[in-house]
Amino acid sequence: MNNSLPAVEIPQPSPRSTRPEILAAEIIERLTYRIGKDAKVAKPHDWLTAAILVVRDRIIDRWMDSTRRVYEQGDKRVYYLSLEFLIGRLMRDAVSNLGLMNELRDALASLGVDFDVIAGLEPDAALGNGGLGRLAACFMESMATVDIPAYGYGIRYVHGLFRQQMADGWQVELPETWLAHGNPWEFERRESSYEIGFGGSVETIGGYDEPPRYVWKPAERVIATAYDTPVVGWRAQRVNTLRLWSAQPIDPILLDAFNAGDHIGALRESNKAEALTRVLYPADANPAGQELRLRQEYFFSSASLQDILRRHLQQYPDFSNLPDKVAIQLNDTHPAVSIGEMMRLLTDVHGLEFDEAWEITRGTFSYTNHTLLPEALESWPVPLFERLLPRHMQIVYAINAKILVEARKAKNFSDQQIRAISLIDENGDRRVRMGNLAFIGSHSINGVSALHTDLMKVTVFSDLHTLYPDRINNKTNGITPRRWLMQCNPALTSLIREAIGDKFLDDTEALHALDAFADDAAFQEKFAAVKRENKVQLAHLVGSRMGVRLDPSAMFDIQIKRIHEYKRQLLNIVEAVALYDQIRSHPELDWVPRVKLFAGKAAPSYHNAKLIIKLANDVARVINNDPAVRGLLKVVFVPNYNVSLAEVMVPAADLSEQISTAGMEASGTGNMKFALNGALTIGTLDGANVEMRDHVGAENIVIFGLTAEEVAQARADGHEPRAIIEKSKELSQALDAIASGVFSPDDRSRFTGLIDGIYNHDWFMLTADFDAYAAAQRTVDQIWTNPKSWYSKTIRNTARMGWFSSDRTIRQYASEIWRA
Ligand SMILES: *Cc1c(COP(=O)(O)O)cnc(C)c1O
């Protein structure tokens, strides 16, 4: 082995103590010598940084041990490539997984510092848009928990997703500055830097009596530098690495230009390089196909692949055993260019034959698909791809030629089938299809719920599935129970421990034992008290941030997720308007008091999504201020949805809204968080809701609406929204009220276009599902009025959601895809 340890005996540091008085002394030490502050003048932020540095030392002990173990045992390494990691805050997670919570609290208290106060100052690492990025974060934690040697690879965006503010009910986007106070969790690794090229040309060498060699001569180059963040598994079983790349110029300053007086021009390279990792692209209705996005994708793919291959060669003589020692999981198609990059590195740089490199590549990669929406499938115009990545364009053509010949020979494919599986879309302007590239270059392609996987086989990938019938498999998503139960809901966690003991902390399926308490009156009372206390805390947050008073005895009905037409926040708002009308028209009836809470960001260029936010706020203003409602209905849109806000809202929900148009939500994970925390779900048979119904029992979830099959049928038959609206008095009144400006007296036509869209095509089947949804809401009301029944159902939700732990998902990936 080339880098064996030197012969001298290097003393190992002894592991750090976890006694509160030692922790306190170290916090003071860090405050003084690392931050340079006297305890008397230290600000809360200084205490936070000092505390993180002390916690970090305890992590490092385990981190080094984990790294050493993989190397010594020759374990297979898993690499999770994702353009997004929506990790949120790390303090509570790290401290809790290390088992240091009480000790650190005591240590800080002895210094007059409140743990909760400083933990609340930590900025959210909002390096993701939504579910896909949060899944990557849950997976990182679960991979460390189930002891898989894994590395996450992504981009260290200087600005995460924008911060959302409301101005007169409209969404306003502000830059997120999560690095403003520095980031004490990360380690900059200057020694792990790689050159990344763009553009230029390809030179062909030889080719007479030996196969030609290709040399890419990029026109531009930047440096990728690694920043490592440790990821602690539950009980600190293992500590893995999240490695995020930052772009730096090769020449920070062009001195010739500077000396010639061109001070701005001298910095141009520097600015251009750094722009690469400055912003996270918001997930739009349709990806704009912007050059910077493709640059980001290639930048982090290339840096990660170079790093992976370098690490392999440190331990093994060549790449023949790469598929046995390395598994690379592509989180959606954003890193799919890695397949071309792997081929380039293996053939051009390391001299392997094309066919051999192809076998290794396909044996190493696997791909997770996250969406069936045709407009969200990534593809790049051929001229752009060719200009930016000329060598990769050649490789794509070479792979394509190989596969198309194979398909004609092996399966006798028709021209139409050949067109469908080709890496190049020839309809209209020619484009490189990243989904097909990811599929063809992987040995496993998975969907994220049973329904989504089934649909994948008959829609986007039907012909590729015919060609490779063994490749598509399902891995239903999961959530980490540490963050989404133990940390966000400590009161419920304590109550469960009291009832069934601690086994569920290590095996979430042990929650099943709670089933025995579902009808126990005393337990129901305690469960209700925990829920109420969580609602009081959310009411407090809403009161202090928004000045709206909420009654914690009302039903908290919550829909929080990205704003998108397919997620149908609009259906929820229209139903609220209909309910408002009913409450006013029938004051004699016993209405169940409800608070409808919304949160979520809209992509800045997604017009209708932004209009839906404005509508929610306009409707809220009218309903909340109408004395005729007598406080029976409130509508609240809480700004700036992120992981930390979800951690407060999820435990406080009575009702979870999971009402997407069937067939359009790949899985959802918000649905899982709520049910685990004892909310009742109202939802369609979409994504993972289908499997949730199987697990919690059909009597413990409120399902309504068209199935995916019925949606497809209705669209094929020519769905006629107008006819449906005419038949439903409640629906037509609600739509007319919105369209005619009842909620927007300052601009009566504000929502006319939005409602016209429903009258004219209603692609998302709002009208088709409205009556069923309204009826399902009245069923929910009925259950609510019988608390025994309500808590019997919600306790069973908590008891039966253990299967949706991301530990289970990761174990399935490990045994069925990674063989790690
Ligand atoms: C869980 C989560 C999501 C995903 O929610 P869905 O309801 O599955 O779309 C998005 N954003 C944040 C901050 C989350 O915590």
Side-chain angles (χ1 to χ4, degrees):
M1 227 148 275
N2 46 13
N3 58 347
S4 53
L5 293 173
V8 293
E9 195 60 26
I10 296 179
Q12 290 294 306
S14 45
R16 301 284 169 133
S17 162
T18 55
R19 280 172 32 218
E21 57 276 23
I22 306 276
L23 292 172
E26 282 190 33
I27 290 170
I28 293 295
E29 199 260 356
R30 297 300 186 289
L31 194 63
T32 314
Y33 295 105
R34 294 292 296 280
I35 302 169
K37 283 275 178 85
D38 190 312
K40 288 204 182 65
V41 299
K43 297 259 162 39
H45 255 293
D46 302 320
W47 287 110
L48 172 65
T49 306
I52 289 175
L53 291 174
V54 169
V55 172
R56 205 180 74 166
D57 281 357
R58 271 84 195 151
I59 298 175
I60 289 175
D61 291 331
R62 312 290 184 113
W63 201 7
M64 295 194 166
D65 173 60
S66 303
T67 315
R68 212 175 296 126
R69 261 196 298 144
V70 204
Y71 196 86
E72 287 167 4
Q73 299 170 7
D75 294 335
K76 189 168 188 175
R77 293 180 175 90
V78 171
Y79 296 102
Y80 197 80
L81 270 58
S82 179
L83 211 46
E84 305 189 4
F85 287 92
L86 189 49
I87 43 193
R89 291 173 177 150
L90 282 180
M91 180 67 148
R92 207 175 286 276
D93 197 46
V95 173
S96 157
N97 280 4
L98 284 169
L100 274 186
M101 191 57 92
N102 292 334
E103 291 78 357
L104 185 66
R105 267 183 198 285
D106 292 350
L108 286 164
S110 75
L111 302 169
V113 178
D114 184 333
F115 173 84
D116 293 317
V117 170
I118 62 166
L121 293 177
E122 189 182 356
D124 262 50
L127 310 183
N129 277 285
L132 175 148
R134 185 52 233 174
L135 184 77
C138 283
F139 278 7
M140 285 306 294
E141 199 263 2
S142 276
M143 287 190 287
T145 295
V146 308
D147 205 15
I148 291 173
Y151 297 75
Y153 278 117
I155 289 182
R156 180 179 178 272
Y157 303 102
V158 173
H159 301 291
L161 191 59
F162 64 86
R163 190 155 57 82
Q164 179 192 57
Q165 244 183 31
M166 293 301 158
D168 192 26
W170 294 98
Q171 168 176 295
V172 178
E173 301 97 26
L174 301 172
E176 181 64 76
T177 53
W178 71 294
L179 292 171
H181 291 269
N183 179 5
W185 292 113
E186 68 186 9
F187 292 82
E188 184 179 353
R189 307 289 195 197
R190 289 265 163 182
E191 73 285 7
S192 296
S193 291
Y194 299 95
E195 256 186 49
I196 315 294
F198 295 101
S201 57
V202 179
E203 241 175 63
T204 312
I205 300 169
Y208 220 42
D209 29 340
E210 55 188 77
R213 280 190 52 233
Y214 301 92
V215 180
W216 178 23
K217 300 272 170 70
E220 296 169 51
R221 288 168 305 148
V222 298
I223 301 285
T225 301
Y227 285 75
D228 288 349
T229 301
V231 179
V232 188
W234 173 234
R235 299 203 194 274
Q237 282 290 329
R238 155 180 289 285
V239 176
N240 281 331
T241 303
L242 174 60
R243 174 160 280 193
L244 302 178
W245 300 104
S246 177
Q248 257 113 54
I250 297 218
D251 299 312
I253 184 161
L254 302 175
L255 270 185
D256 286 351
F258 189 84
N259 293 337
D262 181 7
H263 300 150
I264 306 267
L267 292 171
R268 193 165 294 135
E269 288 299 300
S270 172
N271 290 336
K272 207 172 160 194
E274 279 156 17
L276 250 180
T277 50
R278 188 124 41 208
V279 293
L280 163 72
Y281 270 87
D284 278 334
N286 31 334
Q290 292 162 71
E291 179 171 334
L292 182 59
R293 171 77 169 196
L294 179 56
R295 283 178 180 261
Q296 286 186 334
E297 293 182 355
Y298 177 66
F299 168 80
F300 106 98
S301 295
S302 175
S304 307
L305 267 278
Q306 291 186 58
D307 202 35
I308 292 167
L309 296 187
R310 176 197 56 83
R311 191 172 294 116
H312 186 82
L313 283 188
Q314 271 182 1
Q315 200 167 357
Y316 304 104
D318 57 42
F319 296 115
S320 55
N321 65 343
L322 197 74
D324 299 328
K325 295 296 174 188
V326 168
I328 304 177
Q329 188 70 40
L330 304 176
N331 195 24
D332 213 322
T333 56
H334 315 141
V337 69
S338 298
I339 289 168
E341 178 68 355
M342 175 76 104
M343 288 297 291
R344 183 185 75 84
L345 293 171
L346 291 181
T347 57
D348 298 0
V349 178
H350 296 283
L352 272 67
E353 298 286 338
F354 189 91
D355 287 347
E356 191 188 355
W358 183 241
E359 282 306 304
I360 291 174
T361 299
R362 226 176 28 192
T364 306
F365 280 98
S366 45
Y367 152 56
T368 304
N369 172 276
H370 284 274
T371 178
L372 304 174
L373 306 187
E375 70 272 24
L377 292 176
E378 255 192 324
S379 69
W380 296 104
V382 166
L384 169 63
F385 199 93
E386 191 158 35
R387 173 165 58 76
L388 222 52
L389 302 168
R391 178 61 186 133
H392 299 78
M393 193 69 243
Q394 293 178 338
I395 290 171
V396 165
Y397 285 136
I399 297 171
N400 208 31
K402 185 180 167 71
I403 298 301
L404 297 188
V405 168
E406 227 177 83
R408 282 196 197 275
K409 256 207 278 199
K411 299 275 171 170
N412 207 9
F413 264 25
S414 67
D415 286 350
Q416 193 192 330
Q417 285 175 302
I418 292 290
R419 272 198 299 279
I421 66 165
S422 172
L423 295 181
I424 309 295
D425 184 351
E426 310 271 0
N427 308 312
D429 60 333
R430 301 175 74 232
R431 302 178 79 91
V432 184
R433 290 172 168 150
M434 302 311 273
N436 286 17
L437 177 61
F439 192 118
I440 288 168
S442 298
H443 59 86
S444 159
I445 295 87
N446 74 282
V448 289
S449 73
L451 173 66
H452 167 234
T453 300
D454 286 345
L455 291 173
M456 223 163 80
K457 291 179 184 171
V458 295
T459 58
V460 272
F461 293 132
S462 65
D463 291 303
L464 279 169
H465 177 55
T466 307
L467 184 59
Y468 304 113
D470 304 329
R471 285 198 197 172
I472 295 185
N473 62 89
N474 180 54
K475 298 287 168 283
T476 300
N477 281 169
I479 53 171
T480 165
R482 271 72 63 186
R483 185 175 293 257
W484 296 112
L485 177 61
M486 291 150 62
Q487 291 155 34
C488 75
N489 204 341
L492 181 57
T493 306
S494 300
L495 176 62
I496 299 172
R497 291 175 75 175
E498 243 173 65
I500 64 168
D502 284 358
K503 186 150 178 267
F504 77 100
L505 300 177
D506 295 283
D507 170 12
T508 319
E509 299 227 33
L511 283 169
H512 270 292
L514 263 192
D515 248 3
F517 294 82
D519 295 309
D520 176 321
F523 187 81
Q524 284 197 349
E525 209 165 289
K526 291 184 201 162
F527 194 84
V530 166
K531 183 62 80 180
R532 188 184 164 90
E533 183 48 37
N534 291 335
K535 289 163 73 175
V536 167
Q537 285 181 23
L538 175 58
H540 187 76
L541 181 148
V542 168
S544 65
R545 274 194 209 170
M546 309 179 60
V548 178
R549 273 197 40 208
L550 302 184
D551 174 4
S553 59
M555 184 199 301
F556 279 21
D557 165 349
I558 305 193
Q559 186 174 23
I560 49 176
K561 47 185 79 235
R562 296 282 303 200
I563 310 297
H564 202 293
E565 286 162 285
Y566 86 78
K567 290 177 182 278
R568 296 201 295 193
Q569 284 91 357
L570 189 53
L571 175 60
N572 193 347
I573 297 167
V574 172
E575 203 276 328
V577 168
L579 178 60
Y580 168 54
D581 188 50
Q582 293 282 312
I583 291 174
R584 282 166 37 115
S585 323
H586 298 286
E588 76 285 1
L589 296 179
D590 272 338
W591 295 100
V592 170
R594 273 203 200 222
V595 181
K596 276 193 174 284
L597 292 130
F598 295 87
K601 293 174 183 172
S605 67
Y606 189 173
H607 178 259
N608 275 359
K610 293 178 109 169
L611 208 49
I612 288 168
I613 293 177
K614 174 62 173 161
L615 176 62
N617 283 312
D618 279 354
V619 166
R621 195 193 53 247
V622 172
I623 293 182
N624 298 354
N625 292 310
D626 186 342
V629 176
R630 293 158 291 140
L632 291 169
L633 180 60
K634 279 219 163 123
V635 177
V636 181
F637 193 103
V638 188
N640 202 35
Y641 182 48
N642 61 14
V643 172
S644 295
L645 184 59
E647 286 171 357
V648 181
M649 295 187 79
V650 165
D654 294 306
L655 185 66
S656 158
E657 299 268 356
Q658 307 300 335
I659 59 175
S660 50
T661 313
M664 302 194 80
E665 186 75 86
S667 163
T669 49
N671 47 2
M672 301 169 191
K673 298 168 195 165
F674 283 105
L676 181 63
N677 282 276
L680 190 69
T681 301
I682 182 168
T684 47
L685 282 178
D686 199 15
N689 294 354
V690 178
E691 290 151 88
M692 281 171 54
R693 181 188 60 168
D694 294 343
H695 279 83
V696 305
E699 67 286 7
N700 300 312
I701 184 168
V702 179
I703 296 291
F704 71 93
L706 300 184
T707 62
E709 215 168 315
E710 288 165 346
V711 167
Q713 195 61 50
R715 283 178 182 157
D717 293 349
H719 167 52
E720 288 183 33
R722 252 170 228 284
I724 300 174
I725 296 167
E726 271 163 28
K727 278 193 220 136
S728 171
K729 191 164 144 253
E730 279 190 34
L731 175 59
S732 61
Q733 279 181 351
L735 292 178
D736 289 349
I738 296 169
S740 65
V742 169
F743 301 97
S744 54
D746 55 323
D747 177 2
R748 292 199 162 267
S749 58
R750 178 175 296 141
F751 303 113
T752 314
L754 191 66
I755 302 301
D756 277 353
I758 291 173
Y759 270 91
N760 291 329
H761 36 87
D762 187 26
W763 179 250
F764 301 97
M765 298 283 153
L766 186 150
T767 60
D769 276 345
F770 180 82
D771 281 354
Y773 178 55
Q777 290 289 18
R778 302 295 75 79
T779 303
V780 169
D781 285 344
Q782 282 197 336
I783 303 170
W784 178 262
T785 50
N786 179 356
K788 265 200 178 127
S789 164
W790 182 272
Y791 290 108
S792 153
K793 289 178 196 300
T794 51
I795 293 167
R796 283 195 171 87
N797 268 267
T798 300
R800 299 174 182 185
M801 282 298 293
W803 186 79
F804 294 90
S805 162
S806 46
D807 297 349
R808 183 269 313 156
T809 314
I810 285 301
R811 286 198 178 95
Q812 291 181 329
Y813 274 88
S815 77
E816 295 162 25
I817 300 178
W818 304 330
R819 282 156 296 159

